């Protein structure tokens, strides 16, 4: 194979390099699954049964730190893969908006011209529609004078001669209808006169009947008043008796509620009382139980609830003392954790300071190298070329150097 047939490998683009790095990172993530699963299983079985079990506490803290270290490392690797994509996405959006801004104003201008054409067409259509509508409305108004039933679609299809015929027929029908109405009105007047005469006779009869009805009504009203007074007296007596019985029931119910409250019962629902987490009495039982049976229930519950209260008081005191001890131990553990975090933060700050120092040193060295390279480029002579082939190539070199001069002038 000759030297001319050997091609140098193409240099990868920035996107290809990023893609390779992401693929490598994702493959590493995939390979990491088994290791993390094993780490999770080993840590899941750890327990602490007592604050005095120092070995168990130490194991839990050690495995927690291992898991945290793995998590932090995974987050760092993920961020390192995402950051280049974010930068490229921003660059693509800038180019996209730059290209759109070139053609968008012209597109909008052409759209406005098309919109003007459509608006003019619409004006013409609306004017013709208004003209036709005026003709139809004029015809409707003329026919309406004679009570003619109007059919819009029928009128729209008529010419002027046809409309005049329809108008004449409407006038003739209107005149016939008016004559008939006048005859009907005359007959109606005669009928009303007869009705008035009949009503006068009927009024005389009704006046006589009304007097008889008045006398009967007055007697009936008196009987009704007497019956109503008797009914009210009976209802008042019944209400008084019901109230007396209800007051007695309410007093007994309230006395019983106060009695069970005194021995330790509390309201646990809308209609239920409970004591010692096991003894229940419903409101319906309080209201309906016989007195003898009620006294037996209270006699039975009183000593049982008293013993329960004593036991609960003892447990509450024991819990209070245990809470105080737990709080002391937690305060000690919190202080140790605070000291550990402070030490870790100090170490992290030291490492960041060293990293920043190294970065500043690298930037300083790169700046010197860049200045030497730029100085060399700017001092390179630009020759005039006679041939078009090399004149275009030399122009590319001149433009390239001019761009660097513009950048330097801007930054200066």
């Amino acid at each position: 194979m000759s030297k001319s047939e050997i091609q140098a490998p193409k240099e990868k683009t920035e996107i290809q390099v990023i893609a390779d790095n992401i693929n490598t990172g994702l493959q590493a993530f995939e390979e990491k699954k088994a290791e993390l699963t094993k780490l999770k299983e080993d840590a899941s079985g750890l327990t602490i049964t007592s604050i005095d079990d120092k070995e168990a506490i130490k194991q839990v803290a050690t495995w927690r730190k291992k898991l945290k270290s793995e998590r932090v490392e995974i987050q760092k690797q993920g961020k390192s893969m995402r950051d280049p994509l974010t930068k490229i996405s921003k660059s693509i959006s800038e180019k996209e908006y730059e290209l759109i801004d070139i053609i968008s104003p012209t597109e909008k201008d052409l759209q406005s011209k098309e919109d003007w054409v459509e608006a003019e067409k619409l004006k013409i259509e609306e004017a013709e529609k208004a003209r036709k509508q005026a003709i139809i409305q004029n015809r409707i108004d003329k026919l309406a004078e004679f009570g003619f039933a109007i059919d819009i679609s029928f009128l729209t299809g008529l010419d002027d001669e046809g409309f005049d015929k329809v108008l004449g027929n409407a006038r003739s029908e209107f005149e016939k209808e008016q004559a008939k109405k006048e005859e009907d009105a005359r007959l109606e007047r005669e009928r009303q006169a007869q009705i008035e005469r009949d009503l006068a006779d009927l009024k005389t009869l009704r006046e006589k009947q009304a007097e008889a009805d008045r006398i009967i009504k007055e007697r009936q009203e008196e009987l009704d008043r007497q019956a109503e007074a008797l009914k009210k007296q009976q209802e008042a007596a019944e209400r008084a008796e019901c109230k007396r019985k209800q007051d007695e029931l309410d007093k007994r119910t309230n006395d019983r509620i106060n009695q069970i409250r005194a021995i330790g019962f509390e309201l646990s629902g809308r209609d239920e009382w409970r004591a010692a987490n096991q003894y229940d009495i419903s409101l319906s039982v309080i209201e309906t139980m016989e007195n003898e049976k009620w006294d037996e229930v209270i006699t039975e519950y009183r000593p049982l609830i008293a013993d329960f209260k004593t036991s609960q008081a003892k447990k509450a005191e024991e819990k209070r003392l245990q809470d105080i001890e737990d709080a002391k131990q937690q305060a000690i553990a919190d202080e140790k954790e605070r000291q550990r975090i402070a030490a870790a933060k100090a170490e992290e700050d030291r490492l960041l300071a060293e990293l920043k120092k190294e970065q500043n040193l690298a930037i300083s060295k790169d700046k010197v190298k860049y200045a030497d390279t730029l100085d060399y480029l700017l001092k390179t002579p630009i020759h005039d070329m006679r041939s078009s082939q090399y004149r275009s190539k030399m122009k590319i070199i001149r433009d390239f150097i001019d761009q660097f001069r513009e950048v330097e002038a801007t930054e200066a």
Side-chain angles (χ1 to χ4, degrees), residues 121-280:
K121 288 181 180 179
L122 183 60
K123 287 180 182 179
I124 294 171
E125 291 175 359
E126 291 294 334
E128 179 62 17
K129 183 178 178 181
R131 185 187 68 80
K132 292 180 179 179
Q133 185 63 35
I135 294 173
I136 297 299
Q137 187 61 47
N138 182 52
R139 292 179 175 182
I140 291 172
D141 294 341
K142 289 181 178 180
L143 290 173
E145 294 177 3
F146 307 111
F148 188 81
I150 300 167
D151 186 344
I152 300 298
S153 60
F154 172 69
L155 289 178
T156 304
L158 284 177
D159 56 16
D160 291 341
E161 183 179 354
F163 175 72
D164 290 340
K165 291 180 180 180
V166 171
L167 183 61
N169 292 334
R171 184 182 296 108
S172 176
E173 292 296 326
F174 176 75
E175 290 172 351
K176 292 179 182 179
E177 183 66 23
Q178 288 297 110
K180 184 177 182 301
K181 287 182 179 179
E182 290 176 0
E183 178 62 18
D184 291 343
R186 185 187 65 80
L187 295 174
E188 178 63 21
R189 286 194 297 273
E190 293 179 355
R191 190 178 70 84
Q192 290 295 330
Q194 182 61 43
I195 290 174
E196 290 177 0
R197 289 191 295 270
D198 293 341
L199 288 175
D201 294 340
L202 181 61
K203 180 179 179 183
T204 301
L205 292 174
R206 284 181 175 175
E207 288 175 352
K208 294 179 180 179
Q209 182 65 39
E211 179 61 20
D213 291 341
R214 183 185 66 77
I215 295 171
I216 295 172
K217 181 181 178 182
E218 288 179 354
R219 293 177 180 177
Q220 184 62 45
E221 288 177 350
E222 179 60 26
L223 292 174
D224 291 342
R225 282 195 295 271
Q226 293 176 3
E228 182 66 21
L230 180 59
K231 180 182 177 182
K232 288 182 179 179
Q233 291 176 2
Q234 293 174 345
E235 290 177 349
E238 291 175 356
R239 286 196 298 271
E241 180 62 18
C242 289
K243 184 176 184 306
R244 185 187 65 76
K245 292 180 179 180
Q246 186 61 46
D247 289 344
E248 289 180 356
L249 178 60
D250 292 343
K251 183 178 183 304
R252 188 181 72 168
T253 300
N254 291 332
D255 290 344
R256 289 183 175 184
I257 289 174
N258 292 333
Q259 189 178 16
I260 61 175
R261 275 180 172 167
I263 64 174
F265 277 87
E266 295 180 354
L267 189 63
S268 63
R270 187 175 64 179
D271 296 327
E272 187 173 72
W273 295 78
R274 165 168 282 227
N277 293 331
Q278 58 181 321
Y279 305 117
D280 298 322

Side-chain angles (χ1 to χ4, degrees), residues 354-395:
E354 291 181 358
L355 178 60
K356 185 175 181 181
K357 182 178 179 181
E358 293 176 359
Q359 290 176 344
N360 291 336
L361 180 60
I363 291 172
S364 178
K365 291 180 179 179
D366 289 346
K367 184 176 181 181
V368 173
K369 294 177 183 179
Y370 172 78
D372 291 343
T373 302
L374 181 62
D375 184 63
Y376 175 77
L377 287 174
L378 296 179
K379 289 180 179 179
T380 300
I382 306 302
H383 301 288
D384 295 330
M385 299 296 171
R386 295 181 178 276
S387 64
S388 60
Q389 176 183 359
Y390 285 98
R391 190 162 50 248
S392 61
K393 292 182 178 180
M394 186 59 75
K395 183 178 182 304

Side-chain angles (χ1 to χ4, degrees), residues 54-173:
K54 296 182 179 179
E55 183 61 29
I57 294 173
K58 180 178 179 181
Q59 287 183 356
V60 168
T62 300
W63 280 96
R64 180 188 59 77
K65 292 176 182 178
K66 287 182 181 180
L67 294 173
K68 179 181 178 181
S69 176
E70 291 292 341
R71 174 177 60 78
V72 172
E73 183 60 27
I74 291 170
Q75 290 174 334
K76 287 182 180 178
Q77 293 176 7
K79 186 175 185 299
S80 68
M81 288 188 284
R82 291 193 305 272
D83 287 348
L85 290 176
T86 303
K87 181 179 178 183
I88 290 176
S89 176
K90 183 178 179 182
S91 176
I92 292 172
S93 295
E94 291 175 353
K95 290 296 181 183
E96 173 190 344
Y97 296 141
E98 180 182 354
L99 295 177
I100 289 175
D101 288 342
I102 294 174
I103 63 174
S104 181
T106 304
E107 178 193 356
K108 292 179 180 179
D109 182 60
L110 296 177
Q111 182 64 53
S112 68
K113 290 179 172 60
E114 289 183 346
D115 292 343
W116 177 83
V117 171
E118 293 300 324
E120 290 299 314
K121 288 181 180 179
L122 183 60
K123 287 180 182 179
I124 294 171
E125 291 175 359
E126 291 294 334
E128 179 62 17
K129 183 178 178 181
R131 185 187 68 80
K132 292 180 179 179
Q133 185 63 35
I135 294 173
I136 297 299
Q137 187 61 47
N138 182 52
R139 292 179 175 182
I140 291 172
D141 294 341
K142 289 181 178 180
L143 290 173
E145 294 177 3
F146 307 111
F148 188 81
I150 300 167
D151 186 344
I152 300 298
S153 60
F154 172 69
L155 289 178
T156 304
L158 284 177
D159 56 16
D160 291 341
E161 183 179 354
F163 175 72
D164 290 340
K165 291 180 180 180
V166 171
L167 183 61
N169 292 334
R171 184 182 296 108
S172 176
E173 292 296 326

